[in-house]
Amino acid sequence: MTSPVIMAGFPTVHRGALDDGRRWCALETGYRCELHAGVFAQVAYIAGEECAGISIPTGNVQMPDLNHWLDWLFSLNPALQRIEVLIAGKVPHTAGSEITRVDFYQRASVWYRGNNGGSFPLQWVENHVGLRHPLRPEPVDGEVYRRHFYSLGMDFSLRSLDPESDLMLFTGWMNQRRVARFWQEEGDCDKQKRYIETVIQDPHKYPLMACFDDMPFGYFEVYWAYEDRIAPHCDAQLFDRGAHLLVGDRRFLGSQFTRAWFNGVSHFLFLDDSRTQTLVGEPRADHVAMLRYFDGMFGWQKIREFEFPHKRAALVLCQRGRFFQSMGGV
């Protein structure tokens, strides 16, 4: 019998399966992973090491067959930074044979469902206050991001907010005392409808519903920082992004969920435009629970505090390079 494998944030297990049903089992020196019917890969990995190897017994394996396995392996082993892929009959160390954590999680096609991904051309426009800025792509309807979190055994996804079907749920969330304390937008459906319409009509904002296994649990209002009120406080660059966040469904409060959605929405914002180098935030300085996640997690850090007209805020930042070095592990 093989020794059990201890994986950070995961139970001690010998075997299991991906969310798509493909099986794996733990070995003393790594894992045995099913690529497709009757074809298994051997993964050589020792806990805590920065490098792993995947041995593929056949050349009839395409990179999409490996994407779920790479995500699974990086997620289970936070120390892992690179994976070498060895395919039978092929010369080792050819182009693409080594996959780093940083590069893998920037492959937008695996998780991203939006309409940008950095391909939207740079065109200059002027907003209502005379600020020249890049023309932003029109937000799309429907799902824009999906990723499976193995620590939860659940899919996290982001979709556009529907001003009709989501109105009642959104109104209920805004009127929760703990939400109203920080958002200060409590009111009836008519008020919330006006609020949503204002966000939709603002070209620098994009209202999103956050879901676990397609069940909405929160509202994420993402924005382009260059055109936002935070710009003078953070020296915002043209493609910096930020988000205002709330968790409305109390069942999804708690650190295990927060780590997942916090990682997921940050990932989406970097994938949504490859030119985005920095994420910014301005939570209330007295929002202690939220600041615990912003300060030191996934490359985020609190920089300082400053005064807005309506609140004392904490400036928090996340650089692209630091974020992708810590991707996975949740």
Side-chain angles (χ1 to χ4, degrees):
M1 178 178 292
T2 60
S3 301
V5 177
I6 307 297
M7 296 168 284
F10 293 77
T12 302
V13 291
H14 289 285
R15 63 186 70 250
L18 295 183
D19 58 310
D20 62 12
R22 289 184 291 170
R23 298 163 294 160
W24 64 269
C25 66
L27 308 174
E28 291 184 356
T29 56
Y31 312 95
R32 185 170 184 263
C33 304
E34 183 180 28
L35 298 176
H36 46 77
V39 177
F40 288 82
Q42 296 292 120
V43 177
Y45 179 72
I46 299 174
E49 294 290 325
E50 291 189 357
C51 184
I54 298 181
S55 298
I56 310 297
T58 173
N60 297 323
V61 173
Q62 304 300 315
M63 188 52 67
D65 296 328
L66 295 179
N67 283 336
H68 277 66
W69 285 116
L70 296 171
D71 185 27
W72 173 82
L73 193 55
F74 279 128
S75 294
L76 264 60
N77 301 281
L80 184 59
Q81 291 299 316
R82 62 188 189 278
I83 301 172
E84 186 173 285
V85 180
L86 303 174
I87 301 177
K90 292 193 175 182
V91 178
H93 307 296
T94 56
S97 64
E98 184 174 270
I99 298 163
T100 67
R101 180 184 292 269
V102 171
D103 291 341
F104 176 69
Y105 281 109
Q106 293 184 81
R107 296 179 178 181
S109 61
V110 182
W111 304 278
Y112 181 70
R113 309 288 186 268
N115 65 337
N116 187 10
S119 61
F120 195 75
L122 179 61
Q123 304 175 57
W124 291 93
V125 294
E126 188 173 292
N127 69 7
H128 65 286
V129 297
L131 176 69
R132 293 187 75 246
H133 63 86
L135 177 67
R136 307 305 184 183
E138 190 74 20
V140 296
D141 292 331
E143 187 174 278
V144 294
Y145 176 89
R146 178 173 291 269
R147 181 163 152 227
H148 187 76
F149 282 95
Y150 292 95
S151 59
L152 300 176
M154 304 176 79
D155 277 10
F156 168 78
S157 62
L158 294 167
R159 64 167 175 81
S160 57
L161 180 145
D162 188 310
E164 298 299 328
S165 63
D166 291 325
L167 179 60
M168 291 296 294
L169 187 60
F170 183 84
T171 301
W173 290 348
M174 282 297 189
N175 283 281
Q176 292 181 17
R177 181 177 299 179
R178 62 181 182 82
V179 173
R181 177 189 172 196
F182 297 106
W183 280 72
Q184 301 177 343
E185 291 291 346
E186 61 268 44
D188 61 15
C189 283
D190 287 339
K191 178 181 178 179
Q192 302 308 327
K193 186 173 184 179
R194 291 193 298 272
Y195 177 85
I196 291 171
E197 288 173 348
T198 299
V199 174
I200 291 175
Q201 291 168 9
D202 188 333
H204 97 284
K205 294 181 178 179
Y206 188 9
L208 295 169
M209 296 295 278
C211 307
F212 279 120
D213 283 349
D214 298 315
M215 180 183 301
F217 73 89
Y219 171 69
F220 295 176
E221 189 175 288
V222 304
Y223 59 86
W224 297 97
Y226 191 74
E227 298 102 86
D228 195 77
R229 65 189 179 186
I230 197 176
H233 299 283
C234 66
D235 189 27
Q237 302 303 299
L238 294 179
F239 298 98
D240 289 354
R241 299 295 291 273
H244 301 295
L245 314 165
L246 74 85
V247 174
D249 191 327
R250 298 172 186 270
R251 292 172 296 178
F252 295 100
L253 295 173
S255 61
Q256 72 274 31
F257 295 109
T258 304
R259 283 178 56 85
W261 65 251
F262 192 74
N263 188 275
V265 70
S266 300
H267 192 201
F268 165 75
L269 289 173
F270 279 124
L271 294 184
D272 196 43
D273 198 311
S274 60
R275 296 166 291 191
T276 297
Q277 296 301 311
T278 306
L279 303 184
V280 305
E282 32 90 346
R284 281 177 58 123
D286 60 352
H287 200 334
V288 178
M290 182 59 69
L291 286 173
R292 280 201 301 266
Y293 295 101
F294 274 117
D295 197 10
M297 186 177 293
F298 306 125
W300 283 89
Q301 58 184 145
K302 178 181 175 181
I303 305 300
R304 58 182 173 84
E305 295 184 6
F306 65 96
E307 297 292 342
F308 263 153
H310 64 298
K311 68 177 181 181
R312 182 165 181 79
L315 175 65
V316 292
L317 300 178
C318 179
Q319 302 297 327
R320 188 182 193 97
R322 292 187 63 196
F323 176 79
F324 282 104
Q325 285 176 350
S326 63
M327 270 295 298
V330 286

